[in-house]
Amino acid sequence: MNNRPPRILLVDDEPAVLSALARLLHRQLPAGPEVETFTSPRAALARAWEVPFALVVSDYRMAEMDGIAFLKEFAEIQPHALRLMLSGAADFDVLVSAVNAVGLHRYLIKPWDDEEVCSVLQGAYAEFGRQEADRQLALERQRQLGQLSPEEIERRRLEAEEPGITRVNWGPDGAIHLDD
Amino acid sequence: MHPLLERQIRRHLGEHPETVLPPPGDAAWEHLFNAIGESYEQLDRDLLLREQALNLTSEELNRRNDDLRRELAERTETEEALQREKGEQAALITRLEDAKRQLLYSEKMASIGQLAAGVAHEINNPVGFVQSNINTLAGYVEDLFALTDLLEEVAAGLPDDSPLGRKIRESCERYDLEFLREDVPKLLSESRDGVSRVRKIVQDLRDFSHPDEGKFAWIDLNPGIVSTLNIVNNELKYKAEVITELGELPLIEANQNQLNQVFLNLLVNAAHAIKDKGVINVATRHLPESGEVCISIADTGAGIPPENLKRIFDPFFTTKPVGKGTGLGLSLSYGIVQKHHGRIEVDSQERAGTLFQVFLPIHQPAAEASAAGQQA
């Protein structure tokens, strides 16, 4: 079983932004969670099927798809990961739709303040930990009360480890679609 | 003798009355006197008739006079109505011109706003990672210097004839470690300053062009002037020394972005008026007695010739070479200041410089005031 703590996902189509953020987190939070970076939102979504993330931080304006569309799709794959946006477009409309459409946890603006980014990400990571613990507790409680079958518990464990593994993607012709 | 009398005498007394006169009591005399009496009576009647005719004429004339007077009054009234209408038309034309100005202004602002938002986003990305990288680099460098400290310590602990110790000391000298230790923090802090300046300019550009036109709020003018100065600094700094004397101002009810546009236009004009090198003086002051604030922008430039002074606020009037000025700057500014119920005063002397003063009331009349209240 994969017991590694969930990671942080950074998505921005500007590679230098990603490496600056990764450097910052590596240096400021050396014992912190593992960080994965993607310049392509599509590739990040594909990765989201493979490993669980605690936080996902996305840019808004990206060539492939905008940050809101990306976070929306991401939330369908990993609904529990907290969603953050780091954007230079401090546009009120963007902010409103980000909060309303994808349940944004925090909005950070570019150019960012290093300390602020670190403390926000740390805080969000801790928040994810608390929420995760609550969910485990609820699961345990349901199990004790006999509300969940052993199969369901196993299904959720697998789902947590490999997001989407328990969902089958049926094609219109009855075929099963495999991502890989 | 009256020919009529002569004729009567001849008829009644004969052809030669001086020779043979009829005797007194003769009927001829009686006829003569009757004829003369009749003539007098006829005369009296004529006089009376004439008098009556004159009276009639005079009455008629009076009536005509009255008519004329009435007609004149009517004409004056019509003329007054025409004048009034003309005034109304002039006011309408002014309002149309204002509307046109506002339209041009808002179109221009909208495009600047779009441009600024796009540019800001593009610039904020590199500024973001450069700024962050400089911080990280500062940390890395600190670590590296801790290492070189350790190296020097190790070298100091080695015996004098140790080849390793000599090698370390030589390398430290060759790379001028002393200088690096001094210069690297300076280099980093200068770079940090540079990035934060870029950041500030982008912020100013964004503040300046934020598309919330028409909204009045309670604002402090001084920061707006400072941020406008930052924006035009490029255009000013090679031409002029800018002296600012910003007095303490009360908050005024105004639209920040529109006023920034006014300051920008006045500052750019001041810079353009200076040929080689000059001084631009920017001052703000509070005028408590009139409930106004005054922003003055004075340059030591070429000045405006008197024949142009009347036209500087006309749309499309410009003395700048083709492509350098649209001739809209001052008319837009004028429109904006007018919308704020303020005024612009110009004082210019050729070859000495120009002084623009913008007077703005602290309070706007009721309509705008409620808008500001809703916004607050």
Side-chain angles (χ1 to χ4, degrees):
Chain A
M1 182 175 153
N2 183 4
N3 266 332
R4 296 177 67 174
R7 308 158 189 210
I8 292 178
L9 176 62
L10 305 178
V11 183
D12 194 311
D13 61 358
E14 172 96 46
V17 168
L18 291 176
S19 50
L21 286 170
R23 257 181 224 126
L24 171 70
L25 294 176
H26 176 70
R27 189 160 176 86
Q28 299 300 320
L29 312 169
E34 217 175 298
V35 175
E36 289 195 22
T37 61
F38 286 88
T39 52
S40 150
R42 296 238 174 270
L45 287 172
R47 182 62 174 154
W49 289 106
E50 295 166 9
V51 290
F53 290 98
L55 310 178
V56 51
V57 184
S58 172
D59 184 21
Y60 171 65
R61 239 181 261 188
M62 294 180 287
E64 233 175 63
M65 64 198 295
D66 75 40
I68 290 173
F70 165 71
L71 288 176
K72 229 178 186 168
E73 279 193 39
F74 187 91
E76 278 169 28
I77 306 167
Q78 297 195 25
H80 298 316
L82 296 179
R83 295 169 288 279
L84 292 87
M85 193 170 268
L86 172 66
S87 172
D91 189 326
F92 193 66
D93 295 340
V94 170
L95 182 62
V96 168
S97 59
V99 168
N100 292 338
V102 304
L104 206 65
H105 180 69
R106 283 281 187 282
Y107 189 94
L108 293 160
I109 54 164
K110 281 180 191 168
W112 63 90
D113 179 75
D114 287 349
E115 274 176 43
E116 193 195 350
V117 164
C118 286
S119 78
V120 163
L121 291 187
Q122 252 179 317
Y125 197 76
E127 173 66 23
F128 175 80
R130 274 192 297 278
Q131 290 181 4
E132 193 60 17
D134 285 350
R135 278 191 291 274
Q136 285 303 322
L137 212 65
L139 201 67
E140 184 62 21
R141 183 125 183 86
Q142 281 177 307
R143 194 183 63 81
Q144 278 172 0
L145 291 171
Q147 288 172 346
L148 288 178
S149 64
E151 290 83 0
E152 177 62 16
I153 292 164
E154 180 59 14
R155 193 190 67 77
R156 292 201 188 180
R157 191 189 65 75
L158 279 171
E159 184 67 40
E161 207 168 281
E162 277 226 35
I165 194 171
T166 60
R167 271 176 269 174
V168 178
N169 213 354
W170 293 98
D173 53 355
I176 295 171
H177 286 229
L178 298 177
D179 286 330
D180 294 329
Chain B
M1 199 184 286
H2 197 282
L4 274 178
L5 183 59
E6 211 179 279
R7 207 168 70 209
Q8 290 294 344
I9 291 171
R10 257 202 302 276
R11 188 192 292 168
H12 296 287
L13 303 182
E15 279 304 309
H16 305 288
E18 58 281 326
T19 48
V20 207
L21 278 176
D26 189 285
W29 287 111
E30 207 187 324
H31 289 306
L32 175 67
F33 294 145
N34 280 345
I36 291 173
E38 245 168 61
S39 289
Y40 273 114
E41 270 163 30
Q42 184 63 39
L43 194 67
D44 276 351
R45 274 199 299 280
D46 282 358
L47 273 175
L48 200 67
L49 265 177
R50 224 167 269 167
E51 214 166 279
Q52 275 172 347
L54 268 175
N55 274 342
L56 276 174
T57 316
S58 156
E59 264 168 43
E60 177 65 24
L61 274 175
N62 275 340
R63 232 188 346 266
R64 292 276 286 275
N65 239 354
D66 283 349
D67 283 353
L68 276 174
R69 228 175 265 134
R70 238 192 331 274
E71 219 166 279
L72 193 70
E74 268 166 28
R75 246 182 229 176
T76 317
E77 215 168 280
T78 318
E79 205 160 295
E80 272 168 12
L82 272 173
Q83 278 302 337
R84 252 198 318 279
E85 213 168 285
K86 211 167 133 191
E88 279 162 17
Q89 273 172 353
L92 196 67
I93 288 170
T94 315
R95 263 171 52 204
L96 276 171
E97 273 171 2
D98 281 353
K100 191 177 88 191
R101 266 182 223 139
Q102 287 305 322
L103 195 70
L104 284 170
Y105 168 76
S106 53
E107 262 175 35
K108 188 171 167 181
M109 288 312 278
S111 51
I112 290 179
Q114 263 176 340
L115 195 69
V119 167
H121 181 256
E122 290 313 311
I123 293 176
N124 280 339
N125 256 337
V127 166
F129 65 74
V130 169
Q131 181 173 267
S132 182
N133 282 343
I134 289 173
N135 287 337
T136 308
L137 182 63
Y140 289 176
V141 167
E142 215 171 280
D143 293 356
L144 285 173
F145 279 132
L147 263 178
T148 61
D149 285 349
L150 193 69
L151 201 63
E152 282 184 311
E153 226 179 286
V154 169
L158 290 171
D160 281 354
D161 56 351
S162 145
L164 181 64
R166 209 182 57 234
K167 210 172 165 187
I168 292 174
R169 277 192 298 277
E170 272 174 17
S171 294
C172 286
E173 250 170 63
R174 183 162 6 109
Y175 298 128
D176 208 348
L177 195 62
E178 278 309 297
F179 174 73
L180 289 185
R181 218 178 251 128
E182 239 176 70
D183 196 43
V184 165
K186 258 197 259 172
L187 180 156
L188 288 172
S189 99
E190 281 163 19
S191 306
R192 245 187 223 129
D193 279 357
V195 173
S196 74
R197 241 159 60 198
V198 173
R199 188 182 175 160
K200 181 105 192 30
I201 291 168
V202 174
Q203 188 58 48
D204 283 343
L205 194 63
R206 209 183 237 176
D207 285 352
F208 172 76
S209 59
H210 213 265
D212 63 342
E213 310 166 51
K215 285 182 190 155
F216 280 63
W218 288 95
I219 57 157
D220 182 358
L221 279 184
N222 285 337
I225 289 172
V226 171
S227 88
T228 307
L229 274 169
N230 276 331
I231 291 175
V232 287
N233 197 30
N234 271 338
E235 211 148 337
L236 303 186
K237 68 181 171 192
Y238 302 110
K239 284 283 200 66
E241 186 195 346
V242 179
I243 299 172
T244 52
E245 295 165 45
L246 305 182
E248 203 165 303
L249 297 182
L251 294 182
I252 71 160
E253 214 173 330
N255 181 308
Q256 179 92 63
N257 302 310
Q258 294 186 347
L259 290 180
N260 282 352
Q261 166 95 351
V262 173
F263 305 145
L264 179 93
N265 284 322
L266 294 179
L267 285 167
V268 169
N269 281 350
H272 284 168
I274 293 168
K275 247 208 183 110
D276 300 311
K277 201 82 187 154
V279 178
I280 296 176
N281 202 306
V282 182
T284 59
R285 58 185 201 277
H286 179 201
L287 309 168
E289 10 9 285
S290 58
E292 287 175 311
V293 298
C294 171
I295 303 93
S296 62
I297 293 172
D299 65 66
T300 57
I304 304 163
E307 67 269 23
N308 286 351
L309 209 52
K310 284 174 285 190
R311 305 179 53 199
I312 55 171
F313 293 114
D314 291 353
F316 305 109
F317 176 76
T318 182
T319 56
K320 294 175 188 173
V322 174
K324 247 203 139 177
T326 56
L328 280 174
L330 277 180
S331 59
L332 288 173
S333 304
Y334 180 82
I336 292 166
V337 171
Q338 234 186 9
K339 216 174 120 190
H340 282 77
H341 303 94
R343 61 187 195 282
I344 303 184
E345 287 180 7
V346 199
D347 196 0
S348 187
Q349 263 192 320
E350 273 189 276
R351 285 182 299 281
T354 305
L355 166 69
F356 276 93
Q357 285 183 297
V358 180
F359 294 88
L360 295 167
I362 293 170
H363 296 273
Q364 292 294 317
E368 282 86 352
S370 68
Q374 276 165 11
Q375 239 221 317

